[in-house]
Amino acid sequence: VYFAIILVLSFSHLTCAAPAPGEWSFETCTYTTSNGSVFDFGSLKKTYVWSHEVSDSEGHVLSSNDAIVTNTYYFELSLCGFVKSSFGCKNQFSAVNVIDNTGTCTSVGDSRVGSFAVAPYNDGIVLRYYFGDVVSHIVNQYASLYLLCGADQPWYFEHMENPNQWHFKLMTPNACWK
C-alpha cells in the first residue's frame, strides 16, 4: 500500500509542515527522512529552462523516443519555488510550465501544493507538484520531479502519460544517501 503525503504550502513559501515519513522545507530546499537523512537541494533552487524534442507516440503519450510525430517543447521548472517565466506564462504559482510548438504555455504543477517521497528504487527523492492549469483531480494532474543519485546531468523530460502526468528527471549527487 502506497501512502502519499499531500502538503498545502504557504503562499509565501516560507514554511511547510509535514508528518512522517519526513519533512520538506521550501525555505532551505531540503528533505529530511524519518531516520534523519538529509537531502540538501539548496544549490539547485532556481528556474531551469530547456527545450526537448518530444514524440507523440500514441496520440496521447508524449515521450523522448518512438516518434510518430516529433515536436520541440520548452520546459520551465523551478525547484522549491515559483517559475520565473521567460515565455510570459501567466500562472504566477507555477512550478512547471510546458510550452508547446504553438507557443501555448500550460502550468502542469502548482508550487503551493506538493508531495514528497523516497524514489521507487530508493535511489533519490520524488517531488510531485499537483494541479496547475489542467485541474480536475489531484490523482490525475501532476508533475513528478525525480531527483536521483548520480553525476550531475541537466534536467530531462522522460514522458507524459494521459491525462497530464508529467515526469522529469535530474541526476545529482545531492540526491545520494549519506
Side-chain angles (χ1 to χ4, degrees):
V1 176
Y2 175 77
F3 295 96
I5 298 171
I6 305 302
L7 306 176
V8 178
L9 308 176
S10 72
F11 285 104
S12 65
H13 263 92
L14 295 178
T15 60
C16 169
E23 184 175 321
W24 181 264
S25 168
F26 277 84
E27 183 177 318
T28 60
C29 204
T30 57
Y31 173 65
T32 305
T33 66
S34 59
N35 70 0
S37 295
V38 177
F39 294 88
D40 185 351
F41 301 108
S43 63
L44 305 176
K45 188 176 179 176
K46 65 179 186 175
T47 296
Y48 297 86
V49 180
W50 76 97
S51 65
H52 198 99
E53 292 295 316
V54 175
S55 304
D56 183 349
S57 59
E58 297 176 21
H60 67 281
V61 176
L62 300 178
S63 66
S64 296
N65 54 21
D66 301 328
I68 291 174
V69 176
T70 300
N71 291 301
T72 300
Y73 279 64
Y74 291 88
F75 299 99
E76 297 178 311
L77 183 150
S78 185
L79 193 60
C80 300
F82 303 48
V83 167
K84 294 168 182 63
S85 181
S86 55
F87 289 89
C89 299
K90 304 290 187 224
N91 189 323
Q92 66 180 339
F93 300 115
S94 184
V96 182
N97 288 329
V98 176
I99 301 90
D100 68 16
N101 60 329
T102 68
T104 301
C105 178
T106 304
S107 171
V108 297
D110 188 314
S111 62
R112 299 169 296 172
V113 184
S115 69
F116 57 86
V118 173
Y121 296 104
N122 209 26
D123 57 350
I125 300 298
V126 177
L127 171 60
R128 280 197 177 147
Y129 287 117
Y130 297 91
F131 300 139
D133 294 337
V134 288
V135 176
S136 73
H137 193 278
I138 194 165
V139 175
N140 292 330
Q141 280 80 33
Y142 58 81
S144 291
L145 284 56
Y146 293 89
L147 303 157
L148 302 178
C149 179
D152 282 321
Q153 293 179 16
W155 279 102
Y156 180 78
F157 166 70
E158 287 190 326
H159 63 277
M160 185 275 290
E161 297 175 6
N162 197 22
N164 296 306
Q165 297 172 356
W166 297 81
H167 297 255
F168 301 89
K169 177 174 73 174
L170 177 69
M171 300 300 290
T172 175
N174 300 49
C176 297
W177 290 88
K178 296 176 178 63

